[in-house]
C-alpha cells in the first residue's frame, strides 16, 4: 500500500456527504467501544481506514530494459511505499510441475508427456546457464524469465497442433484416394459388362448414321437453292428500300425550307396573349398595316368581307375590319391559327394571298411591327402558311411517288419474309437431322471409348 492522505480530494457535489452517511450507518453496527463520536472528521477518517484495509493495488513490472530503472527514479514511492516481491528463477521441480499443468489438456501418452516436460525443463535450464556465461564474458544481460518458459510450452503446443492437423489432412487425402481407386475399379467392371450389352446398339446406330447422312446431303442441296432465292429477293428489297429512302430525303430537303419558317410563325403566335388580341380588336381606326394583316388572315380563314360605301367614290367596296373584329373576339382565335390545316389550304385562298399581299412591300413583319406587335406575329403566320403551301405543292407529287415506292417495298419485304420463313423451316429441319446424326455418332463411339 502506498498510503492514503486524509485530505485526499473528492469530486464536487454531495459525494462527501454520501460517504459520511454510509459510514454513519456502518459505524452504528459496530461494537460500542469501536464506534466514533459521529463527527464528520471521525467518519471520514473511518472511511480512509477502511480504504487502507480493503484497497490493494498490484503492480507487475519486468526488469528487462531501462524502463523499470527510469520509473523507479521518477516515482520513488514505488520503492518506499510498496511491498516489493521479487520473483526469482523457478527451481527444477517448479518447472516440472508447471509443464505438467500446462500440458495436461494435450493428448499425449504418459511416457511422451514426461519426455516433453524433461525437454522443456532442459531447454529452459540450459538457456539460463548460457545467459549467465554470456553476462560473465560479455557483460550483457539476457533475461530468462518464467514467461519465457511458458512461451516455450505454448510454442510446443501450437507446433504440435499444426503438425497433427497436417498429418490428419494427409491421412484423409490418402483415405479418400483409396476410396476413389476402389470406386474406379468397380466402375470399370460395370462398364465392361455394359459394353457387351451395347454391342447390338452399336450396329443399329451405325445403320441410322448412314441413313441420316444420305438425307442430310439431299436436304443440303435444297437449302442451298432456297438460300440463293432469298438472297436475290433481299437484293430487290434493298434496292426498293434505297429508292424509297431517296424520295423521302428529297421530300425532307424540300420541306426543310418551309418548316423553320412555320415554326418561327408558331413561336411568334405563342408570344401573343389574349390581351394583345383585345388591343387590336379595340382599335376604332386601325393603322393600314393592321388592316392589311387582318385582311390576309380573314382570306386564309375563309371569312368574307362586308360591302360598305366608299366615302370618296360612293361605290361599294370590300371592308374586312368588322369581320376581323368578330374573328378577334373568338376566345379560340389563337388556337385556331395553331391548328390550321396547312396541308389543305384552298387554292383560291393561296392564290389571292400570293397575288395581293406577298408582293406588297408594306406586308413585311418589320413594317407591321411599327403598327402593332400582335399584327407582326399574325403577318409572320400568313407568310409562313404561303411558303409552306408553295413547298408542299412541289413535295406532293414526290410524296405520292414515295407512297408507291414504300408500297412496293412492303410487298417485297412481305415476300422476302415468307421466303425467309421457308428457309428457316428447311434449315431447322436440316439442323435437326444434323443433331440426330451427331447423337447417333456419339452412341456409336461410346462402346469404343469404353474399350479404351
Amino acid at each position: 500500500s502506498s498510503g492514503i492522505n486524509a485530505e485526499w480530494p473528492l469530486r464536487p457535489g454531495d459525494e462527501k456527504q454520501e460517504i459520511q452517511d454510509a459510514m454513519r450507518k456502518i459505524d452504528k453496527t459496530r461494537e460500542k467501544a469501536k464506534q466514533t463520536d459521529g463527527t464528520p472528521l471521525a467518519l471520514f477518517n473511518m472511511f480512509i481506514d477502511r480504504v487502507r484495509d480493503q484497497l490493494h493495488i498490484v503492480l507487475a513490472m519486468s526488469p528487462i530494459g531501462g524502463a523499470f530503472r527510469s520509473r523507479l527514479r521518477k516515482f520513488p514511492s514505488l520503492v518506499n511505499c510498496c511491498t516489493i516481491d521479487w520473483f526469482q528463477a523457478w527451481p527444477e521441480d517448479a518447472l516440472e510441475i508447471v509443464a505438467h499443468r500446462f500440458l495436461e489438456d494435450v493428448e499425449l501418452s504418459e511416457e511422451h508427456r514426461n519426455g516433453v516436460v524433461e525437454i522443456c525443463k532442459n531447454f529452459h535450464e540450459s538457456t539460463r546457464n548460457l545467459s549467465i556465461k554470456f553476462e560473465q564474458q560479455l557483460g550483457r544481460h539476457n533475461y530468462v524469465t518464467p514467461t519465457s518458459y511458458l512461451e516455450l510450452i505454448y510454442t510446443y503446443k501450437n507446433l504440435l497442433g499444426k503438425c497433427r492437423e497436417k498429418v490428419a489432412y494427409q491421412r484423409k487425402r490418402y483415405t479418400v484416394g483409396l476410396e476413389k481407386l476402389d470406386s474406379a475399379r468397380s466402375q470399370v467392371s460395370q462398364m465392361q459388362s455394359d459394353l457387351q450389352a451395347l454391342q447390338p446398339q452399336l450396329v443399329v446406330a451405325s445403320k441410322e448414321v448412314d441413313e441420316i447422312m444420305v438425307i442430310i446431303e439431299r436436304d443440303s442441296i435444297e437449302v442451298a437453292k432456297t438460300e440463293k432465292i432469298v438472297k436475290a429477293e433481299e437484293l430487290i428489297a434493298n434496292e426498293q428500300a434505297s429508292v424509297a429512302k431517296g424520295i423521302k430525303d428529297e421530300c425532307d430537303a424540300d420541306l426543310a425550307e418551309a418548316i423553320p419558317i412555320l415554326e418561327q410563325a408558331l413561336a411568334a403566335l405563342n408570344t401573343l396573349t389574349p390581351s394583345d388580341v383585345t388591343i387590336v380588336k379595340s382599335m376604332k381606326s386601325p393603322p393600314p398595316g393592321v388592316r392589311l394583316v387582318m385582311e390576309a388572315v380573314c382570306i386564309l380563314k375563309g371569312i368574307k368581307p362586308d360591302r360598305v360605301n366608299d366615302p370618296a367614290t360612293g361605290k361599294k367596296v370590300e371592308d374586312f375590319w368588322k369581320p376581323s373584329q368578330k374573328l378577334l373576339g373568338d376566345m379560340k382565335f389563337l388556337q385556331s391559327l395553331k391548328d390550321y390545316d396547312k396541308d389543305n389550304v384552298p387554292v383560291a385562298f393561296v392564290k389571292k394571298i400570293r397575288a395581293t399581299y406577298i408582293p406588297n412591300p408594306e406586308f413585311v413583319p418589320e413594317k407591321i411591327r411599327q403598327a402593332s406587335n400582335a399584327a407582326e406575329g399574325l403577318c409572320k403566320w400568313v407568310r409562313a402558311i404561303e411558303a409552306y403551301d408553295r413547298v408542299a405543292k412541289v413535295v406532293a407529287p414526290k410524296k405520292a411517288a414515295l407512297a408507291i415506292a414504300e408500297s412496293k417495298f412492303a410487298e417485297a419485304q412481305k415476300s422476302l419474309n415468307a421466303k425467309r420463313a421457308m428457309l428457316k423451316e428447311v434449315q431447322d429441319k436440316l439442323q435437326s437431322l444434323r443433331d440426330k446424326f451427331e447423337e447417333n455418332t456419339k452412341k456409336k463411339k461410346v462402346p469404343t471409348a469404353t474399350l479404351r
Side-chain angles (χ1 to χ4, degrees):
S1 173
S2 62
I4 299 179
N5 194 331
E7 298 300 326
W8 184 50
L10 296 172
R11 287 180 295 177
D14 298 333
E15 187 172 350
K16 192 170 183 180
Q17 184 62 39
E18 291 177 3
I19 293 174
Q20 291 176 1
D21 294 341
M23 290 300 101
R24 185 175 289 106
K25 292 179 182 179
I26 296 172
D27 189 31
K28 290 180 180 179
T29 60
R30 296 195 300 175
E31 298 177 5
K32 193 70 175 178
K34 294 182 179 181
Q35 289 183 2
T36 65
D37 56 2
T39 62
L41 180 60
L43 293 173
F44 193 71
N45 288 335
M46 175 184 170
F47 169 70
I48 297 299
D49 292 338
R50 288 177 64 86
V51 171
R52 284 198 185 97
D53 293 340
Q54 299 182 22
L55 179 62
H56 301 281
I57 300 175
V58 178
L59 299 177
M61 299 185 185
S62 173
I64 299 174
F68 182 57
R69 187 181 301 109
S70 176
R71 291 193 186 101
L72 293 179
R73 289 197 192 100
K74 292 181 179 179
F75 308 103
S77 59
L78 291 174
V79 176
N80 300 331
C81 301
C82 294
T83 300
I84 301 175
D85 291 335
W86 292 95
F87 292 95
Q88 304 297 332
W90 289 350
E92 291 189 9
D93 56 345
L95 295 176
E96 186 173 344
I97 293 171
V98 170
H100 275 288
R101 172 66 181 79
F102 280 90
L103 291 174
E104 65 182 3
D105 60 338
V106 180
E107 185 181 351
L108 289 171
S109 65
E110 196 62 32
E111 181 183 357
H112 287 165
R113 193 186 309 278
N114 292 332
V116 172
V117 170
E118 189 64 28
I119 289 173
C120 290
K121 184 174 68 174
N122 289 338
F123 280 174
H124 188 74
E125 288 295 326
S126 61
T127 304
R128 186 162 59 189
N129 294 333
L130 287 174
S131 297
I132 294 172
K133 291 181 181 180
F134 184 70
E135 182 181 2
Q136 292 172 352
Q137 293 177 6
L138 299 178
R140 296 174 61 185
H141 293 280
N142 179 53
Y143 294 97
V144 181
T145 63
T147 303
S148 304
Y149 184 62
L150 297 178
E151 289 294 335
L152 172 64
I153 297 174
Y154 286 138
T155 302
Y156 168 74
K157 290 173 69 175
N158 290 334
L159 288 176
L160 178 63
K162 291 180 180 178
C163 290
R164 284 181 173 177
E165 288 179 1
K166 184 176 180 181
V167 170
Y169 174 71
Q170 292 177 345
R171 181 175 62 185
K172 183 178 179 181
R173 289 185 62 188
Y174 178 74
T175 304
V176 172
L178 291 177
E179 292 174 354
K180 288 186 177 179
L181 287 174
D182 184 61
S183 175
R185 183 167 56 253
S186 62
Q187 289 177 1
V188 168
S189 176
Q190 180 65 34
M191 285 190 289
Q192 288 176 346
S193 62
D194 293 342
L195 177 61
Q196 295 178 356
L198 287 173
Q199 288 296 336
Q201 299 179 18
L202 177 61
V203 176
V204 175
S206 299
K207 184 178 178 181
E208 289 180 353
V209 167
D210 295 337
E211 292 175 354
I212 293 173
M213 277 298 299
V214 174
I215 298 174
I216 289 176
E217 290 177 359
R218 185 187 63 207
D219 289 351
S220 296
I221 296 173
E222 183 180 350
V223 169
K225 291 180 180 178
T226 307
E227 285 180 345
K228 187 175 181 180
I229 294 172
V230 170
K231 288 181 180 179
E233 296 211 2
E234 279 183 346
L235 291 175
I236 296 173
N238 291 336
E239 182 179 352
Q240 291 177 345
S242 178
V243 171
K245 185 178 183 302
I247 297 173
K248 185 176 184 301
D249 291 342
E250 288 183 12
C251 293
D252 292 341
D254 292 337
L255 289 173
E257 175 187 352
I259 293 298
I261 299 174
L262 185 61
E263 290 177 350
Q264 291 178 4
L266 292 176
L269 290 178
N270 288 331
T271 61
L272 299 181
T273 62
S275 61
D276 296 331
V277 175
T278 302
I279 292 173
V280 177
K281 176 189 171 185
S282 61
M283 292 181 180
K284 294 182 179 180
S285 298
V290 175
R291 281 182 173 275
L292 192 64
V293 170
M294 290 310 301
E295 287 176 10
V297 172
C298 288
I299 290 171
L300 288 178
K301 295 284 287 182
I303 297 174
K304 296 181 179 181
D306 292 341
R307 301 285 293 178
V308 298
N309 292 323
D310 185 1
T313 61
K315 297 180 179 180
K316 294 285 186 178
V317 294
E318 294 181 348
D319 183 20
F320 282 93
W321 183 240
K322 286 188 177 181
S324 298
Q325 287 181 316
K326 185 178 180 181
L327 178 63
L328 291 171
D330 187 358
M331 297 298 293
K332 297 182 180 180
F333 169 65
L334 292 177
Q335 189 61 40
S336 68
L337 298 184
K338 296 175 185 178
D339 299 336
Y340 191 77
D341 187 5
K342 58 185 179 298
D343 294 313
N344 297 293
V345 183
V347 177
F349 294 174
V350 176
K351 185 176 180 181
K352 190 168 184 179
I353 294 293
R354 205 165 281 155
T356 306
Y357 298 95
I358 298 301
N360 190 338
E362 299 298 324
F363 192 76
V364 291
E366 292 77 11
K367 291 186 177 181
I368 299 299
R369 187 191 308 129
Q370 298 174 4
S372 169
N373 289 331
E376 178 195 5
L378 297 176
C379 178
K380 289 181 179 179
W381 178 79
V382 172
R383 299 186 71 89
I385 294 297
E386 184 277 330
Y388 182 85
D389 182 79
R390 176 166 28 87
V391 175
K393 292 296 189 292
V394 177
V395 173
K398 295 181 181 180
K399 283 187 175 180
L402 175 62
I404 296 172
E406 287 178 343
S407 176
K408 289 182 179 179
F409 172 69
E411 292 177 2
Q413 190 68 29
K414 183 178 180 181
S415 176
L416 176 61
N417 291 336
K419 293 293 191 299
R420 283 176 175 170
M422 186 186 304
L423 175 62
K424 187 176 185 305
E425 182 180 354
V426 177
Q427 288 176 336
D428 291 343
K429 180 180 178 183
L430 180 61
Q431 185 61 42
S432 176
L433 290 172
R434 286 174 177 168
D435 293 341
K436 188 174 181 181
F437 172 74
E438 291 180 2
E439 182 181 353
N440 289 335
T441 303
K442 290 178 181 178
K443 290 181 181 178
K444 182 179 177 182
K445 291 180 180 179
V446 167
T448 306
T450 307
L451 279 174
R452 293 174 185 166

